[in-house]
Amino acid sequence: MTVLAKTTTELGSESVRSLYDQLVVKAKEISHLQGIGGLLGWDQEVMMPTNSADSRANQLSALAGVIHAKETSSSLGSILEELEKRQAAQDLSSELNPFELANIRLSRKAYKAETLLPSELVQASASLTSKAVGAWAQARKESDYAKFAPYLEEQITLLRQKVGYQMKGGVCEEARKINEKARASLGLGEGDECYKGYYQALLDTYEPGFKVDRLNILFEDLKQNLVPLIAKIKAKNFQHDDAFLQSEWDVTKQKEFSHRVSERIGFDLESGRLDVSTHPFTGGAHSTDVRMTTRYTLTDLKEGITGTIHETGHSLYEQGRNKEYVDTPVSAALSLGVHESQSLLWERMVGLSKPFWTNTLPLLKEKFQEPSHEALQSVSVDHFFNAWNRVEPGYIRVEADEVTYGLHVVLRYEIEKALVEGDITVAEVPALWNAKMKEYLGLEVTEDRLGCLQDTHWAVGLIGYFPTYTLGSIYAVQIFAAAKEAIPNLDEHLAKGEFHVLKKWLNENIHQQGSLRESGDDLIFGLTGQHLDSSLYVKYLTEKYTKIYDL
């Protein structure tokens, strides 16, 4: 066991290997504590009694304080400072491998960001989030945005404070530049309120290195192409017959079928669980303890199946993390966009494909043999595939088809960016949400629960997160194309239920790479020779649905 040096002088006499080993001890301790937080968060969403909200808020706040203290400890700072000195004086690549060097880079970045935040702010954020989740769940149940609005107001305030501290401390340079430019153009002084550029800092939390300006270009490209594509499908005034899906589906059987699909794809139930929650998610404590949830609806078979496959994609990423560097920063997912690419690759590239249902449809027929499902028994794979890929604008993001899904994300991005940067107030959210739903998808929102209250993200302070869903969609198309090029006859493997072939390739090329690269774009370029390209995503959707709808 490594003995940690306590003084600067002692650290100066340590070897690079010894310093690195001490850093790993610190990193793993933080990871273990974060794992406890993951379990508490999972329990809060899945099993916690309603009356426990306040006590759980206190527990999470106390834990956040302990973790923050570890993340900002002077002993950790001294180790990182000494390693930085060594790197400035010599090339450490002869002593440390790329994964180890990445651990130093990632630890230094996290330390710098965390040391700028007062522990009181960190604890206040944890406490607020715990309370806000309960308020959101109740507001959603009653379809009453006003009951959640005060908590969203507080989240915005705390996030602005967080970004403010980080910008002053030299973190989020891109955000600082945007803010300075805005202040200059508006004639504002240093003491004047201005939140322009703050969203850039929040986006960088979830998608490191990705600029808002580029995001705007990608999203504008999607709007320009997807809105007309949806219009063409609507104008066709035709849908493939899905009468065989219009039935009641026993929830217990849905659960059993979803568990079977998840296991066949590769989810290890000895290293994870699949439960039910209001909002499907993947969390847990460790790559050997991955907790995912889904939800089932009596009259909607597709929601439970696609939701389970989606979360299985996330879970395979977590279970497939690099075991040689377990509990260290480099083993973690590179970005939320890359993480989302894995869930969407399995949900859409695989789970919505004809090869997948060639293998899986017989299993579905086997599970649901009741007289009420007689129509299912006679449906062909081609018919099932066309009906399963039905395009129809709806209110709920997690239930959206892959053509309309991107516009759900664009809507949320535009609203949360405007909120953070002070262009709209919290009170204006429902009306703006409803207006954009009408503009983008042609839908009239009549209840808050079908509109701005449907997602848990804002309640838990995950602002800047939503864009990663659509970035994940774009990543997924390019990654799957690379997989098809690397794996001969991949479609044939999928049609035979040989999902392990694709899983193994993803383990090696995505999951085990962790955060070795500095950005998702770097990972994609290294894998495919191309940067992230929305036109490839648009091409995929256009070609697929032109064929399905004979446009």
Side-chain angles (χ1 to χ4, degrees):
M1 179 177 179
T2 303
V3 179
L4 300 184
K6 295 182 180 180
T7 68
T8 302
T9 301
E10 289 174 325
L11 288 173
S13 64
E14 295 278 343
S15 68
V16 169
R17 173 56 60 184
S18 176
L19 289 168
Y20 174 77
D21 288 344
Q22 292 175 55
L23 175 64
V24 168
V25 170
K26 297 280 191 182
K28 289 189 173 185
E29 186 175 20
I30 292 169
S31 178
H32 297 158
L33 290 169
Q34 290 171 334
I36 296 171
L39 288 181
L40 288 174
W42 168 85
D43 177 75
Q44 180 171 272
E45 295 277 358
V46 178
M47 301 188 71
M48 188 186 80
T50 304
N51 290 340
S52 301
D54 287 342
S55 63
R56 180 54 49 86
N58 292 334
Q59 292 160 0
L60 287 169
S61 176
L63 181 61
V66 173
I67 293 173
H68 184 64
K70 297 287 185 182
E71 291 175 326
T72 60
S73 71
S74 58
S75 57
L76 174 59
S78 296
I79 294 170
L80 289 169
E81 183 180 359
E82 184 61 33
L83 282 167
E84 189 170 10
K85 289 179 183 177
R86 303 294 179 90
Q87 285 185 302
Q90 65 182 102
D91 181 4
L92 300 186
S93 60
S94 62
E95 299 184 64
L96 300 175
N97 67 41
F99 285 91
E100 293 168 330
L101 290 171
N103 267 330
I104 296 175
R105 168 176 55 83
L106 294 163
S107 295
R108 184 185 299 125
K109 180 180 179 181
Y111 181 80
K112 187 174 183 180
E114 289 299 323
T115 51
L116 297 172
L117 302 180
S119 59
E120 294 82 3
L121 177 59
V122 174
Q123 290 179 281
S125 179
S127 178
L128 170 62
T129 293
S130 185
K131 293 175 183 178
V133 167
W136 164 77
Q138 190 62 33
R140 183 178 183 273
K141 181 179 180 181
E142 298 177 17
S143 195
D144 186 356
Y145 174 77
K147 290 188 174 179
F148 172 62
Y151 296 90
L152 180 56
E153 190 83 60
E154 287 188 67
Q155 284 286 21
I156 297 296
T157 298
L158 290 182
L159 286 170
R160 285 172 176 170
Q161 290 178 15
K162 177 180 179 180
V163 173
Y165 278 113
Q166 292 179 334
M167 286 171 59
K168 289 178 181 178
V171 178
C172 311
E173 277 300 297
E174 183 65 23
R176 183 187 60 77
K177 291 176 184 177
I178 296 171
N179 187 262
E180 287 184 352
K181 184 177 180 180
R183 286 179 180 278
S185 66
L186 295 170
L188 299 176
E190 188 175 331
D192 295 320
E193 188 176 274
C194 178
Y195 302 113
K196 299 299 180 184
Y198 277 45
Y199 192 84
Q200 175 64 66
L202 297 175
L203 176 64
D204 194 66
T205 302
Y206 306 107
E207 198 63 29
F210 211 91
K211 295 183 179 181
V212 167
D213 285 348
R214 188 172 177 212
L215 187 65
N216 289 335
I217 293 171
L218 290 175
F219 279 10
E220 191 60 36
D221 180 46
L222 295 184
K223 283 199 292 187
Q224 289 179 3
N225 286 280
L226 295 184
V227 171
L229 177 60
I230 294 168
K232 286 182 181 179
I233 293 172
K234 282 184 177 180
K236 192 74 175 180
N237 195 28
F238 166 79
Q239 291 288 0
H240 290 281
D241 180 20
D242 67 349
F244 65 92
L245 292 173
Q246 305 308 313
S247 182
E248 291 190 350
W249 305 86
D250 182 82
V251 170
T252 299
K253 287 192 173 184
Q254 285 191 60
K255 181 178 179 180
E256 292 169 351
F257 182 76
S258 291
H259 274 249
R260 185 178 184 184
V261 169
S262 181
E263 285 188 90
R264 293 182 79 246
I265 288 174
F267 182 61
D268 181 4
L269 280 170
E270 293 187 355
S271 297
R273 290 179 57 93
L274 172 56
D275 293 280
V276 175
S277 68
T278 301
H279 189 97
F281 71 95
T282 296
H286 193 263
S287 60
T288 60
D289 186 6
V290 178
R291 311 292 178 98
M292 68 167 164
T293 71
T294 190
R295 64 187 182 198
Y296 306 102
T297 303
L298 185 64
T299 57
D300 189 349
L301 176 67
K302 188 176 180 181
E303 179 181 2
I305 295 174
T306 57
T308 299
I309 296 174
H310 181 97
E311 297 305 330
T312 298
H314 281 305
S315 297
L316 293 183
Y317 197 162
E318 289 301 309
Q319 291 186 337
R321 287 166 63 164
N322 195 315
K323 292 177 173 53
E324 186 175 351
Y325 299 98
V326 66
D327 293 328
T328 66
V330 75
S331 75
L334 177 55
S335 74
L336 268 296
V338 175
H339 216 309
E340 196 64 22
S341 77
Q342 299 307 283
S343 60
L344 293 173
L345 184 150
W346 283 103
E347 177 195 347
R348 297 177 182 175
M349 310 294 99
V350 177
L352 295 181
S353 73
K354 194 174 292 184
F356 176 81
W357 284 106
T358 297
N359 176 264
T360 307
L361 183 56
L363 303 180
L364 185 67
K365 292 180 177 181
E366 177 186 305
K367 174 58 68 175
F368 293 97
Q369 299 187 35
E370 297 83 356
S372 60
H373 302 309
E374 183 178 352
L376 173 66
Q377 298 302 319
S378 60
V379 73
S380 68
V381 172
D382 285 345
H383 184 178
F384 185 94
F385 168 76
N386 287 331
W388 198 250
N389 282 280
R390 185 185 185 102
V391 175
E392 193 168 24
Y395 298 101
I396 307 301
R397 176 184 61 84
V398 296
E399 299 172 8
D401 57 77
E402 61 179 337
V403 178
T404 61
Y405 186 92
L407 296 179
H408 282 273
V409 173
V410 171
L411 176 153
R412 286 156 173 78
Y413 161 66
E414 291 173 346
I415 291 176
E416 67 179 19
K417 181 175 182 291
L419 258 181
V420 168
E421 300 199 341
D423 296 326
I424 64 170
T425 65
V426 168
E428 294 176 291
V429 168
L432 183 57
W433 182 292
N434 298 349
K436 287 182 179 293
M437 283 293 284
K438 178 67 175 177
E439 177 186 355
Y440 298 161
L441 296 172
L443 298 174
E444 297 278 359
V445 180
T446 58
E447 296 182 75
D448 290 340
R449 69 180 182 83
L450 298 177
C452 58
L453 285 179
Q454 64 183 268
D455 299 300
T456 190
H457 299 61
W458 292 346
V460 297
L462 296 180
I463 294 178
Y465 189 121
F466 275 121
T468 66
Y469 288 121
T470 291
L471 291 176
S473 299
I474 303 171
Y475 283 131
V477 167
Q478 291 179 240
I479 292 171
F480 191 67
K484 293 189 77 170
E485 187 174 326
I487 304 172
N489 306 314
L490 177 56
D491 282 347
E492 292 181 18
H493 284 295
L494 298 177
K496 294 176 183 177
E498 297 169 348
F499 305 117
H500 65 279
V501 176
L502 176 59
K503 176 179 175 288
K504 180 176 183 294
W505 187 88
L506 292 170
N507 282 157
E508 294 172 353
N509 291 279
I510 305 296
H511 309 159
Q512 291 172 12
Q513 296 301 306
S515 290
L516 178 63
R517 306 274 186 165
E518 295 199 32
S519 72
D521 209 24
D522 289 343
L523 175 68
I524 289 298
F525 187 79
L527 187 64
T528 69
Q530 293 179 292
H531 291 290
L532 194 63
D533 187 350
S534 57
S535 69
L536 300 176
Y537 176 55
V538 169
K539 182 174 182 287
Y540 155 74
L541 291 176
T542 302
E543 290 181 351
K544 176 178 177 178
Y545 288 92
T546 293
K547 186 174 181 180
I548 289 175
Y549 281 92
D550 191 25
L551 299 179

